Amino acid sequence: MPPMIKLLFNAVGPRTVRGFTRQCQRPRAVQEELLRFMVESNKDTAFGRQYGFGDIKSFDDYQRQIPICSYQDLEPYIEAMLRGEQNQLTSAPPVFFATTSGTTGKPKYIPVNKNSKVAKSQLLRVWFSKLAMDHPRMFDHKVMSVVSPEIESYSKAGIPCGAESGQGYRSMPRMAKSSYSAPYEVYALEDYDAKYYTLLRLAAAQSLSFIYAVNPSTILLLAKTLSLHSEAIIRDIRDGTLSWEGLPDSLADAVEPYLHADPQRAAFLEKALKEGQGRLLPKHIWPDLAVLGCWKGGNVGLYLSQFDEYYPEGLPVRDCGYYSSEHRGSVPLTDEGCSGVLAIPTNVYEYYPVRENVKPKGTDLLQAHKLEKGQQYYVYVTTHGGLYRYDMNDIIEVTDYYEQTPVFRFVQKGKGFVSFTGEKLYESQVVTAVSQAMDNYKKHYEFIAAVGEVEEASPRYAFLVEFDPTPGAPEDRHIIDRIEVSLRQCNLEYDQKRKSRRIEPPKLRVVAPGEFEQYRKRAVQAGRKDGQFKIVRLTKDTEFAREFKVVMEVTASVE
């Protein structure tokens, strides 16, 4: 008999997608109905009284009366909510605070209430329903999903604070949990290496048909960790053990049902080890994988390009959508590209065209139905959780329309650029240039970041890259020269500044093997969520560059 979760999606999935499609036929009406509900529901809150929610009768009223907000603008209300004060941003009390990194290093606390939980779940059901319709084998076997720990701390009022992904994993219905390859307690392990070994030891003993992790670097890390511990994993599966030292006693009861001696599975893995020439690879041990789910937009292309080495060649990958602690903003409905349909039934959206040095007024923002294909916009969102006209500092590009609703891709964070002499170099351009330059490079590499720096009043960009194995000097020179050529093609202003010698030739800094993984490990141990670990690919922070041991430096010869 097929798994119950598969039967469920077969029964309700098509109806869920049809309902979403009907909403996408009338985006303006859906958005305005949603705004009226949010305003009416929250008119007696501290925020609602201050800004006259009771007088708002239209979208135009909302834009005139409510300012564009940053986290700092909403922080006094959120601090009051953390203390347990009611009716601050929403009439529905918070049940959870999702934590995310702030620009100052201080964490942000994003309120989650029953309405915002329902909204995100609604959108996730649409995503899963369409994915299951397109890949009917995805629930034939177990599912491996990587999440962050649910509870990191508690507010002064005793409300849990942490990762919504962990909370969602724990609170799934029993039917859905039956498809998990590992219990939640594995993700609560504080030791980074222990967590990934345990997760893979349990998963390698089972057949998987779907892997989901928001960040593709995590999917790649799973494959590399599996290769690193191949023999120990096979031995543990043969003996029915979990041999990693130092695991907490609290984990034992949770994993006990997963641990039993399985010589037959071990023999299968031994054969897979030979196929992988001494490495266990996902494509050999999980031949029934139907699809992967992760981010595909922004600066993650360098990870995606390495998937075929570890996973079945051509395995479909579905983008998980424009997604953050603040909101879930889109639903990708195909495996092609990284675009998704705007989440019109769950959040209210406004936009402003990307323009240089222009700060919008509240009445300048555009509703979703006014967006134009091919144009890029900054995003402002109003959510059930109490974010009002919230500046996401994100840039998106409209790529199409689904019915009457915009389809878009995430481009980059709005502040993801560096400019010393007017070159206005964007993170997306840097990632594209490196990807093009490395297109024919057949060895392993990890592009870490481009660092803008000034030496004796002359700016230049240094590209930090980790190689395995480390290339020789002639090859280094060719690599940085190719990056330079690609970068000048991507950004004409940069090309002009290089021609006029206002910017010095870039440098390639070869980082010692293993340095990036050590950096990631330090970041996670310091509180970053490994499931959503992201790294800025372009920065002026020279202190960041000192995190990595450099073994070789080469300057471009291109003039």
Side-chain angles (χ1 to χ4, degrees):
M1 180 179 177
M4 288 299 295
I5 191 170
K6 182 174 183 177
L7 294 175
L8 173 66
F9 275 104
N10 286 344
V12 305
R15 185 167 68 247
T16 299
V17 174
R18 286 195 300 270
F20 179 69
T21 299
R22 285 194 296 270
Q23 291 172 314
C24 291
Q25 293 168 351
R26 44 192 293 271
R28 182 176 184 177
V30 170
Q31 286 277 278
E32 292 182 350
E33 289 167 9
L34 181 59
L35 180 63
R36 282 195 293 271
F37 173 81
M38 290 178 173
V39 168
E40 179 64 26
S41 299
N42 300 308
K43 64 183 181 182
D44 292 325
T45 63
F47 188 92
R49 289 192 298 271
Q50 179 175 352
Y51 291 103
F53 274 22
D55 299 325
I56 294 174
K57 307 301 180 185
S58 66
F59 214 107
D60 288 343
D61 290 344
Y62 184 68
Q63 290 189 322
R64 281 192 295 268
Q65 292 182 213
I66 312 304
I68 294 172
C69 293
S70 66
Y71 182 80
Q72 287 69 33
D73 295 322
L74 300 177
E75 192 170 18
Y77 302 95
I78 294 174
E79 290 290 341
M81 296 166 80
L82 288 165
R83 295 192 298 269
E85 297 180 31
Q86 301 297 306
N87 291 310
Q88 292 298 307
L89 291 171
T90 60
S91 58
V95 297
F96 188 78
F97 288 94
T99 56
T100 184
S101 300
T103 55
T104 63
K106 180 182 177 182
K108 295 187 291 185
Y109 294 87
I110 307 301
V112 178
N113 58 36
K114 63 178 183 179
N115 294 327
S116 60
K117 287 185 68 174
V118 168
K120 289 186 177 181
S121 296
Q122 176 185 346
L123 217 61
L124 193 58
R125 280 197 299 274
V126 177
W127 187 84
F128 268 113
S129 294
K130 186 60 166 64
L131 187 64
M133 289 168 64
D134 294 341
H135 301 284
R137 296 190 300 106
M138 65 175 288
F139 291 125
D140 281 359
H141 302 285
K142 296 292 184 179
V143 172
M144 179 164 63
S145 179
V146 181
V147 300
S148 298
E150 175 191 10
I151 300 176
E152 298 170 349
S153 62
Y154 289 89
S155 73
K156 293 179 180 178
I159 302 170
C161 308
E164 270 196 288
S165 61
Q167 187 191 50
Y169 195 91
R170 289 193 74 177
S171 60
M172 281 286 184
R174 182 177 299 178
M175 179 176 57
K177 288 182 179 179
S178 67
S179 68
Y180 291 173
S181 65
Y184 166 78
E185 287 77 4
V186 175
Y187 301 103
L189 288 172
E190 294 183 3
D191 185 293
Y192 179 89
D193 295 319
K195 179 191 306 183
Y196 276 85
Y197 180 85
T198 304
L199 178 63
L200 288 163
R201 185 272 177 247
L202 301 185
Q206 306 171 74
S207 294
L208 300 184
S209 49
F210 177 48
I211 297 176
Y212 178 90
V214 172
N215 200 311
S217 67
T218 302
I219 292 181
L220 202 58
L221 179 63
L222 290 169
K224 292 180 178 180
T225 305
L226 180 67
S227 299
L228 182 64
H229 298 290
S230 298
E231 293 184 359
I233 286 173
I234 294 174
R235 185 168 56 250
D236 270 344
I237 290 172
R238 180 185 297 111
D239 299 340
T241 55
L242 177 56
S243 60
W244 193 274
E245 294 184 1
L247 293 174
D249 294 338
S250 58
L251 185 68
D253 290 341
V255 301
E256 192 275 333
Y258 296 82
L259 303 180
H260 60 275
D262 193 345
Q264 185 175 358
R265 181 67 178 177
F268 170 80
L269 295 177
E270 289 281 7
K271 182 180 177 182
L273 190 68
K274 293 179 181 178
E275 289 183 83
Q277 298 181 330
R279 299 185 300 165
L280 285 181
L281 301 177
K283 60 185 174 184
H284 296 144
I285 74 169
W286 298 312
D288 295 318
L289 277 173
V291 63
L292 302 175
C294 66
W295 279 327
K296 295 169 67 178
N299 60 19
V300 302
L302 299 176
Y303 296 118
L304 296 168
S305 66
Q306 300 177 57
F307 276 15
D308 281 353
E309 178 182 350
Y310 299 96
Y311 293 89
E313 188 172 352
L315 180 67
V317 181
R318 178 69 58 92
D319 190 275
C320 62
Y322 177 45
Y323 173 58
S324 67
S325 298
E326 289 84 357
H327 69 129
R328 183 179 287 274
S330 73
V331 187
L333 298 178
T334 74
D335 299 330
E336 298 301 318
C338 58
S339 294
V341 183
L342 180 65
I344 57 165
T346 55
N347 307 292
V348 175
Y349 288 96
E350 298 171 87
Y351 300 89
Y352 189 71
V354 172
R355 297 171 185 163
E356 184 185 357
N357 296 326
V358 177
K359 187 174 182 179
K361 299 176 182 177
T363 53
D364 292 335
L365 303 192
L366 304 175
Q367 291 180 249
H369 66 278
K370 293 185 178 180
L371 303 191
E372 297 179 14
K373 183 177 178 179
Q375 297 302 306
Q376 294 187 351
Y377 300 90
Y378 294 105
V379 182
Y380 304 82
V381 62
T382 296
T383 73
H384 283 286
L387 303 182
Y388 297 103
R389 310 195 78 191
Y390 186 82
D391 182 358
M392 289 296 299
N393 186 38
D394 287 340
I395 295 175
I396 59 95
E397 180 179 340
V398 177
T399 57
D400 207 345
Y401 272 79
Y402 178 71
E403 301 294 345
Q404 302 299 314
T405 297
V407 176
F408 66 91
R409 70 180 183 93
F410 171 75
V411 177
Q412 65 175 54
K413 297 301 291 183
K415 294 179 181 177
F417 76 94
V418 173
S419 187
F420 291 107
T421 63
E423 69 273 22
K424 297 185 293 295
L425 190 62
Y426 279 88
E427 186 179 67
S428 57
Q429 295 170 337
V430 166
V431 172
T432 297
V434 172
S435 181
Q436 290 175 349
M438 296 290 197
D439 191 45
N440 295 319
Y441 188 77
K442 302 304 181 185
K443 300 173 186 176
H444 293 283
Y445 75 93
E446 179 78 57
F447 169 54
I448 297 170
V451 181
E453 55 190 24
V454 178
E455 296 178 0
E456 298 179 355
S458 297
R460 73 161 77 242
Y461 292 88
F463 289 76
L464 277 63
V465 185
E466 180 182 323
F467 296 91
D468 183 18
T470 301
E475 196 167 23
D476 286 344
R477 178 82 64 188
H478 291 152
I479 289 170
I480 190 59
D481 284 350
R482 287 197 296 268
I483 291 175
E484 168 72 339
V485 170
S486 296
L487 194 59
R488 292 170 78 157
Q489 291 172 345
C490 290
N491 185 313
L492 296 180
E493 291 289 342
Y494 173 82
D495 181 51
Q496 290 298 321
K497 302 305 186 290
R498 283 283 292 113
K499 286 177 180 177
S500 64
R501 302 187 184 278
R502 281 177 282 176
I503 298 178
E504 295 295 317
K507 290 183 177 182
L508 174 69
R509 292 199 178 124
V510 180
V511 171
E515 281 287 293
F516 180 76
E517 186 53 35
Q518 290 300 315
Y519 170 79
R520 175 186 175 119
K521 199 174 295 185
R522 290 194 301 271
V524 171
Q525 289 171 346
R528 297 271 293 277
K529 297 178 177 64
D530 57 332
Q532 297 184 17
F533 175 83
K534 291 179 287 187
I535 188 168
V536 175
R537 301 294 179 180
L538 175 63
T539 179
K540 287 195 293 186
D541 182 5
T542 54
E543 289 298 318
F544 167 81
R546 295 190 180 96
E547 294 271 358
F548 305 92
K549 179 182 178 182
V550 175
V551 296
M552 190 182 304
E553 182 175 279
V554 180
T555 303
S557 59
V558 178
E559 290 296 338

